[in-house]
Amino acid sequence: MSEAMQVKKALAPASSFKLVRTLGIVATLSGVLVVSVYDFTQPFIAANKDAMMAKAVFEVVPGVVIRKNFVLTPDGLVPDNGKADGAKVLAGYDAEGKLKGIAAEAAAPGYADVIRLLYGYDPECQCITGINVLQSTETPGLGDKIYKDAAFLANFEALDARLNAKGDALAHPIVTVKHGTKASPWQIDAISGATVSSKAVGKALNDSAQTLLPRLANEWEKLR
Amino acid sequence: MQPDSAMFIFLNALIVNNFVLASFLGICPFLGVSGRLNTAWSMGMATSLVMIISSVCAYFINELLVAMDLEFLRLICYIAVIASTVQLVEMAMKKFSPALFRALGIFLPLITTNCAILGLALFQTFRDYSFTQSLAYSLGAGGGFTLAIMLMAGLRERLALANVPSVSQGAAMSLMLGGVLSLAFMGFAGLGG
Amino acid sequence: MALLSFLRKATFSHGIHPPENKDTSDMAIKRLPFAPRVVVPLSQHFGAPAVALVKPGQEVVRGEPIARAEGFLSVPMHAPVTGVVESVGLMASARGPKVPSIVIKTHAAASQRVLWGAPRDVGDMDAEAIILAIQDTGMVGLGGAGFPTHVKLSVPKKYTIDTLVVNGCECEPYLTTDHRMMVEYPQDLIAGIHIAMKAVGAGRALIGIEDNKPDAARALRGCIPQGAPIDVVEVETKYPQGSEKLLIKTLLGREVPSGGYPYEIGVVVQNVATLAQLAQLLPESQGLIERVVTISGPGVKKPGNYLVPLGTPLRFVLEQVGFSGDASQLILGGPMMGNSVASLDVPVTKTVSGILVMSQGKEERGAGKVHPCIRCGKCLEACPVNLNPSQLGRLAAKREYKMMEERFHLNDCFECGCCSYVCPSNIPLVQYFRIAKSVNRERAA
Amino acid sequence: MSSDLNPQKPITMDTFMRGVWTENPVFVMLLGMCPVLAVTNSVANALAMGLATTFVLIGSGTLVSLLRRAIPKEVRIATYIVIIATFVTIVDYAIQAISLEIYKSLGAFIQLIVVNCMILGRAESYASRHRISKTVVNGLGTGVGFTLALLCIGVVRELLGAGTLLGFQVFGEGFQPWVVMILPPGGFFVLGAWLLLFAWLKERSAARATATEGKEVVHAA
Amino acid sequence: MSQPPLRVELRTSPHLRTTLTVETIMRNVVYALLPLCAFAVYQFGISALALILVVTLSCLGTEALFSRASGKGNTLSDYSATITGLLLALTLPPGFPLWMGAVAGFIAIALGKVLFGGLGFNVFNPALVGRAFVQAAFPVAITTWTPPFAPGRFVEFIPSTLALPFMQPPEVKSWIDGLGLDGYTGATPLALQKFEGVTSSAIDLFTGMAAGSLGETSALLILLCGGYLAARRMMNWRIPVAMLGGAWVTAALLHWANPGHPDPWFVLFSGGLLFGAMFMATDMVATPVTPLGVWVYGIFMGFLTVIIRVFGGLPEGVMYAILLGNAAAPLIEHITQPRIYGARKRKVES
Ligand SMILES: Cc1cc2nc3c(=O)[nH]c(=O)nc-3n(C[C@H](O)[C@H](O)[C@H](O)COP(=O)(O)O)c2cc1C
Ligand SMILES: Cc1cc2nc3c(=O)[nH]c(=O)nc-3n(C[C@H](O)[C@H](O)[C@H](O)COP(=O)(O)O)c2cc1C
Ligand SMILES: Cc1cc2nc3c(=O)[nH]c(=O)nc-3n(C[C@H](O)[C@H](O)[C@H](O)COP(=O)(O)O)c2cc1C
Ligand SMILES: Cc1cc2nc3c(=O)[nH]c(=O)nc-3n(C[C@H](O)[C@H](O)[C@H](O)CO)c2cc1C
Ligand code: SF4
Ligand code: SF4
Ligand code: SF4
Ligand code: SF4
Ligand code: FES
């Protein structure tokens, strides 16, 4: 509350006692209102957020029941306590607590604006298991096929993301290829007419996987 | 370009998703103060200035509020701090650079509480921009606003001498111009991707 | 560009090339008979009107002063014919409203030799005396606005003149009076140049002639005495080459400062006809009583260059040369700068260089529909002073006269009409500008 | 000045209709243009935005009206802004609690209600001078006017741009959507088109009026 | 005084004017466009013919409607609406549904021209306003290309052409496959280059043997028709020269810095650059009038075209470059006012 008071003082330089008192009353009133609404809504909001996340993660890592949040700091993977800095990694487990896979965010500029997506990765098969577009303003009818077109989404059911022998990069970079020319499991078949958006998805995945997966290589035990 | 690079953020706010024409912030001054080129220029400059100031302010207030777990006061603090900072800048300007004050001064109070400024602060918070990113964003937004309002003012000065039908004079015309400008800026889609 | 300029004729930038129609250029100057009655307006040139010296009923002889100058910026008038003053009062004029004029009834039988004046030796006179003497001749510029010649030759003390520019361009279509003057009276012109050089203290003279008049250039070159500091320069045939500002640019590369006069950059400009006339009148102490006029146009039966006594009414002139009835327009002067008149009672004055009778042709500005400006930019490419007539025109249409003056240099427009000529939208640009200027002048007053 | 500004006057239909029609904040006053253009790409967004704004209008109006005698002149605007910001924050949390989907599609524009000049304008020129009941009715009118305007724009944009209304297919399968309508230019065009329509109607009725007047004069003569 | 015996008119000077009038200019632009239309019909068949007719009639109809409503009388006779229609049609893909063409024509005239006061007052190129609108409204249809010289083109419509009003056009992919044209991929040379790195043969680009919008395919024909207009001084040659020069230099610099970027000659002859520079950037109504401004304007548009093509999400940027050029025209004009004759060095104190 204290900042709010100071701020209001700054707004009214001619601060006689009455001015300060009125402002104080109003500020207190607002504060009380805001805080009570905040307290009241917080559980609902948290539940909403959780449900949304659960749905998103379930889509990219099928079979997830329990989720845990981690952060990949320079010193390694640590549980997310809200303070650590680094890339967020969501680990998903089935009901028995067995690791089903992880989910992470990726982004790249698409046709209209940045496309943000969540993708799942399964350490067992060393492949990407699904994507969920979190944010996109791609053109309806063209670019929006990256989350509406079933054929395109099928690319990500088991997209090869193996590490190379040295373990410092993907064995095969993930690339988007022209529609109808997909030949290898690490390639993404572009949507005809929305090559730009398709390529953005490929780029986002490749950028994220190339940096994240090598660093996770030694961390899987912590997740299990 | 990486989507979180400062350059990308700058270009995005400047042209690709122009702050005014695609993000719809600062529409009121864009429509209202775009009648003459020189006022539009002053408005653009003043807005850019206030944007940079408020972007910096908002960044630090947010850090402070997050640290103190007072995020629910964010909106109230943003608007209050931005308003008072601009007031201070105005006073300082009056004292140290009367010429600049004469050029921009009358616009400052008008700007303080418009949505371009608060929108900038809120968007940079929503997108978790770092300090550099915020700065790049505010520069892009200020530039984008100035660009849009200058183009608009140029067109409107030309149209002031045209035989515009009475029905389409005024706000309707400005909106249509804004629409065509917005169409034209769609050409920048995907730039830097 | 710099390389090419060796190959090109000396010229200024922009301007236009209207069809020349100079069919009368080979026709020698002929004298027109005297009209039964002549009308001499007291104000027929730039400056204060003259004051009448005669009363109705008074006999005058050809060449006699009939009105005196009123102050320095004014010139006297001389009787163009021998006859009797019929009246002194308001008469129709080319400018529209009626103006005070002296009407003289010609003595049909009287000899029309000039009986006034006495010879004198111009070579003995100093600059000041020359200028006073010129005022007495009643000379005004025969090339353009009719500015009193003696005023133009009295350069303020603080400026020194290095060059006298002699304007023999005659860039207006149809007109050939200057051309004929140069071909027929080259000696007089050279003499006139010497007088003017002396009056202004110029060390040299440049005669600018458009390259469509090689015979005139040849004639003049043949007359220039060995070693005299006088040069003939052939310049590109292009309208408005003859405008003094542009001729100076062409010949000397100098620009008359905006709102200023040529003397500020050491130049005085005189028209060839003015100087030739001067050389004829000054040694005899005579006054200006007649001038050469090109009478031409599709509506004229006997086009030609005629020596016409001042004050001769148009009706008489046209009767003499014959004209067809379907004339649509009568122009005094050239088609680009001249005025159109509606009354045949208007007299020929000192500034009338041509009388054109036009019939409806497709070249004429006329019924053509006026469109809004399509911003083709042709007017900007035509304007010799680099104005933006397109913008000026738009402003004029919205009556933004002040803005025209303050931001778009309206007052630098010298009304050459190039912009109106080229405009595909048929917008009367220069006409707008005249209105704008006069409104501004009124508001300022 | 019109009678309604007299604080003593009772509540009339005009108190309400003024904001809805004659002083419609969008079509007549052209206030708060940013949300009007930004969130009208679907009817649902337009409706949510309209309701949120109405709530803030009424809430802040009530509080301002309540405190109108206590607030000193000098800190008037600052107080109003704090009050408005409070209600905006409340709405913001409420929407998050109701539906994150809507919250995401409205983005920062909910919070930007703070700077909507319409709300500050109402607080300053109406709420601070009238009793609560009148303020509420007037605020409701203005809010309804704003919401209706948003809906006018939103319906056209969603109908043409996606062939749907509130997400339900209207035109059937083969309909070709006009994507431009839900893109940013569409916002400008649709609002511009409404203004053109109103201007044209006004001009036509004015022309009719003078035409009939002219006739009457003829008859009289 | 007696009355003058003649009926003469009183006018102020100048009493002469050129024979080059707005009507003459516009009529000749139509003449210059007809060969392009004819070639488009030869290349794409009756679908092209139908599209050209529908778009042009839509423009003329809209113009007539509004000029009647605003009491301006007949404004069709200045041919400018015809030009708008023809140019708009020539920038559309051959299989563009006719009803969308009609929408484009209406928007071009209504939003692009009438709104601002008609001929001479539009601030954007009307044809491009129409095209930009339909491009944003129907992005799929406007990026669906069909091959030139399809066997039955003079007897059969492209299926998408005849889509019912307000209905989605049918897929043309199966139709194209059915034509049995070897190696046709449904992409324009520009898209092939941008998305697949395949550069088309220069000779095909030059003579028009490639896919693309109706009017843009034959560089040769465009140069001839544009050259005719330039030679008759009905078009300002500086604009295409500046625009093409600006594009070439920008592309050459980029190509030099990174040979992965397209070759400048390819840039020049592919897509709508040549067509746009010749016929659309030169729409004088929306260009700066100042002589220096014209150069700045052209170079600016050429630069933008290449930047959009190379770095943007779209294979083609000419239309947007010209619209942005139009938008910037007043500003360009503002900073390029000519220096007047005799301008004094320092401000005179007055
Ligand atoms: C108005 C408009 C919107 C477009 N939107 C998208 C889009 O959202 N995503 C995309 O990948 N391509 C979009 N495109 C098409 C691209 O610019 C490009 O032509 C296409 O990606 C090429 O793909 P293709 O080679 O598979 O045909 C759009 C085109 C237009 C004209
Ligand atoms: C108000 C006015 C004052 C002038 N004063 C002088 C002057 O003092 N000296 C001079 O040489 N010319 C003077 N001029 C003459 C002009 O420089 C110019 O020669 C004259 O207007 C004829 O121009 P034109 O025949 O090109 O139209 C003056 C002209 C005007 C209109
Ligand atoms: C557009 C324009 C064209 C002119 N053309 C000629 C010309 O061809 N010949 C000429 O002697 N004077 C021409 N003048 C007038 C000159 O500017 C200048 O006034 C004249 O040469 C001065 O000589 P004067 O005082 O002896 O007449 C023109 C003036 C204007 C404004
Ligand atoms: C060289 C030239 C190019 C033109 N280009 C266009 C054009 O691209 N689009 C258009 O609508 N009109 C064009 N016009 C016609 C005319 O200028 C246009 O209808 C006006 O813009 C309408 O005010 C052109 C005219 C000329 C002379
Ligand atoms: S009067 Fe006319 S024709 Fe004669 S010189 Fe001057 S401008 Fe040329
Ligand atoms: S009349 Fe004036 S504006 Fe027109 S061309 Fe001549 S000087 Fe320029
Ligand atoms: S010549 Fe006429 S149409 Fe062309 S720009 Fe000038 S005023 Fe406009
Ligand atoms: S006199 Fe001049 S300004 Fe007046 S209407 Fe005619 S052309 Fe226009
Ligand atoms: S609502 Fe007014 S500037 Fe955005």
Side-chain angles (χ1 to χ4, degrees), chain A residues 1-4 7-8 10-11 30-31 34-35 38 83 107-116 135 137 196 203 207, chain B residues 1-3 8 12 16-17 64-65 68 70-73 76-77 80-81 83-84 87 127 186 188-193:
Chain A
M1 200 95 334
S2 58
E3 279 96 8
V7 161
K8 264 145 261 153
L11 267 184
S30 331
V34 170
V35 171
Y38 179 69
K83 296 279 184 275
Y111 177 80
D113 202 346
V114 177
I115 298 172
R116 281 179 206 288
Q135 182 204 328
T137 45
V196 176
K203 180 171 185 299
D207 286 355
Chain B
M1 242 182 278
Q2 290 304 319
F8 180 83
N12 203 41
V16 181
N17 280 292
L64 202 68
L65 291 180
M68 297 170 64
L70 288 172
E71 277 120 319
F72 51 82
L73 288 181
I76 303 182
C77 292
V81 172
S84 34
Q87 197 103 52
R127 296 179 189 171
M186 283 178 68
F188 291 121
L191 204 68

Side-chain angles (χ1 to χ4, degrees), chain E residues 29 80 83-84 87 113 119-120 122 125-127 279-280 283-284:
Chain E
V29 176
S80 86
I83 297 176
T84 303
L87 280 169
K113 188 171 168 193
L119 177 70
N122 49 304
N125 183 327
F279 296 106
M280 314 205 77
D283 175 7
M284 61 283 261

Side-chain angles (χ1 to χ4, degrees), chain D residues 110-121:
Chain D
I110 287 292
Q111 303 208 9
L112 285 176
I113 296 177
V114 175
V115 284
N116 192 325
C117 15
M118 170 181 77
I119 299 187
L120 193 63

Side-chain angles (χ1 to χ4, degrees), chain C residues 372-380 389-391 393-394 419 422-427 429, chain E residues 22 289:
Chain C
C373 168
I374 56 165
R375 304 171 61 81
C376 62
K378 287 187 190 295
C379 51
L380 279 100
S390 160
Q391 182 74 16
R394 286 154 183 270
C419 48
V422 295
C423 180
S425 284
N426 203 4
I427 301 171
L429 293 164
Chain E
V22 171
V289 287

Side-chain angles (χ1 to χ4, degrees), chain D residues 105-186:
Chain D
S105 56
L106 293 180
F109 283 96
I110 287 292
Q111 303 208 9
L112 285 176
I113 296 177
V114 175
V115 284
N116 192 325
C117 15
M118 170 181 77
I119 299 187
L120 193 63
R122 285 289 97 186
E124 159 87 339
S125 65
Y126 202 96
S128 64
R129 295 178 200 167
H130 293 86
R131 59 195 140 89
I132 294 183
S133 55
K134 267 189 93 169
T135 304
V136 169
V137 172
N138 179 274
L140 193 67
T142 310
V144 168
F146 187 70
T147 311
L148 276 180
L150 287 186
L151 283 178
C152 283
I153 302 167
V155 165
V156 175
R157 289 183 71 183
E158 185 176 337
L159 205 58
L160 269 182
T164 58
L165 264 189
L166 279 169
F168 296 106
Q169 202 79 36
V170 174
F171 290 129
E173 258 320 290
F175 176 73
Q176 165 70 53
W178 300 37
V179 180
V180 66
M181 288 302 167
I182 48 182
L183 297 179

Side-chain angles (χ1 to χ4, degrees), chain C residues 140-147 149 152 167-172 178 210 239-245 247 269-272 274-275 337 414-417:
Chain C
V140 301
L142 300 181
F147 196 78
T149 305
K152 225 164 147 180
N167 188 345
C169 296
E170 197 158 53
C171 55
E172 280 262 16
D178 290 354
E210 283 190 343
Y239 179 84
Q241 188 70 266
S243 159
E244 62 180 10
K245 288 184 173 185
L247 188 58
V269 183
Q270 288 294 337
N271 163 262
V272 286
T274 316
L275 293 180
M337 299 276 290
F414 64 104
E415 302 179 14
C416 66

Side-chain angles (χ1 to χ4, degrees), chain B residues 24-29 114-116, chain D residues 32-35 117:
Chain B
F24 288 126
L25 291 166
I27 297 289
C28 300
N114 92 18
C115 60
Chain D
M33 284 291 117
C34 297
C117 15

Side-chain angles (χ1 to χ4, degrees), chain B residues 125-149:
Chain B
T125 315
F126 277 17
R127 296 179 189 171
D128 274 333
Y129 282 163
S130 71
F131 185 73
T132 1
Q133 288 175 325
S134 304
L135 210 58
Y137 185 49
S138 65
L139 286 175
F145 178 82
T146 311
L147 179 67
I149 199 171

